[in-house]
Amino acid sequence: MALNVGDYRISLDTRDPQANLYFVSHAHSDHTSGVRKSHRILCSEITRDLVEQRVKYSIDLAPLPSGARMLNSGHMFGSRQLLLEPENGSTILYTGDYQMQKSPAAEEIEISHADIVIMDSTYPFVNVTFDDREEVIASIQSYIRDKGRFGSILFGAYAMGKAQELVRICNDMGISPLVDTGVARMNRVYSNHGMRLDYTVRDLAAGVGERDFYETVWIASTHNMEKVKQYVADLNNRIFTAVATGFAKMMRFGTDVQFALSDHADFSQALQYLEICEPKYVYTCGSGAATFAKNLKAHGYEAAPSKLTTNVASLLAGYSKN
Ligand SMILES: [Zn+2]
C-alpha cells in the first residue's frame, strides 16, 4: 500500500515500485520488503539497526517530509506509526503493528487524533481477547519458578521483539537467561539504544561447554528449539518447552505450555485506540482486513479494507470534513 502526499509517494511496509519513500514501521520481516539499497527509507534508528543485522548493508535514513511525524506504536522496540498532516489539514495515521499495553521491551504507544486511520488487522475477531499483560507475565514467571527446580525451560520466540521481552521478564526475577547467537545479535542492538538486557550467549553449533549451566532458562529463535533440546539432552537434563504469543489464544503449539503474550492489540484494544483517535474513517489492512472492517462497522465506525494503492485525495472524498 502507498500514499500519495505532495511530492511523495510513500510505501507503507511494502515494496511499491512507484514509491519514492519507503516507510518501515518496524523490523519484523513481514514489514521490511520495501528495504533496498537504492530506496529512501523512513524508520526509527532502532529499526534501521535491527534490519541492518539481517540485510548486511548500511541503510541511509531519509529525512521526514514536512507534515510527517513518527509516533511510537508499542509493538516492539523502535516500532513507529506514521502520522501525515497534509496541507489540506486532514490527518492520516498509519498504525503498522501496534500494542496498547506497555511491553517491558518497547516504548509506550502514542496515539494522535486523525481524520483517517489505516489500521493493522492482526487480531480482527471480537471473541479473541487477551488477558491483562501483567497477569500473563506473572504466570510466565510463576512457571519459570516452579519448573526451574526440575530442569531447564526453553522459550521459542522471534529473535527480535518477543525474545528481548522474555529476557526482560527473566531479568525482572533475577534470572540471566541463555540465548542463541541470533537472539544475542538483536540483544546488542537493543543495548546500544539503551535497553538493558542481562543474558549469556551460547553458540549451539559449538556443543556443550565444560562449565555449562544445568537448571536455567533458554530463550532461542523458534527454528533453533530442536537444537536447544538436543543441547540440554546432552547434559542429561530435563527440559520444559514454551512459547509466548498471542496466537496461543487461537491454536495449539507443540510445546509443554503456551502463554498468550501478544505484542498486538486485540479487538477491544483496537476500540480503545479508536476512541482516542476519533477518526472519521478507518481503512483496515493485513490478512484480517475484511473481518476487522466488518466488526468495526458493527461498532459504529466507517470502515473498509484498504485497497492496494490509496491516494490521499480519494481517501478524503466521500464524507464531509468538519
Ligand atoms: Zn510485527
Side-chain angles (χ1 to χ4, degrees), residues 42-63:
L42 204 56
C43 67
S44 69
E45 291 182 3
I46 300 165
T47 296
R48 176 200 59 196
D49 292 354
L50 288 168
V51 175
E52 280 183 351
Q53 293 295 320
R54 195 167 56 230
V55 297
K56 312 285 188 203
Y57 55 78
S58 297
I59 297 168
D60 291 325
L61 292 186

Side-chain angles (χ1 to χ4, degrees), residues 155-159 180 183 220-226 243 253:
F155 284 88
Y158 285 135
D180 63 20
V183 170
S221 316
T222 313
H223 66 267
N224 271 338
M225 286 183 84
E226 287 307 316
V243 290
F253 294 81

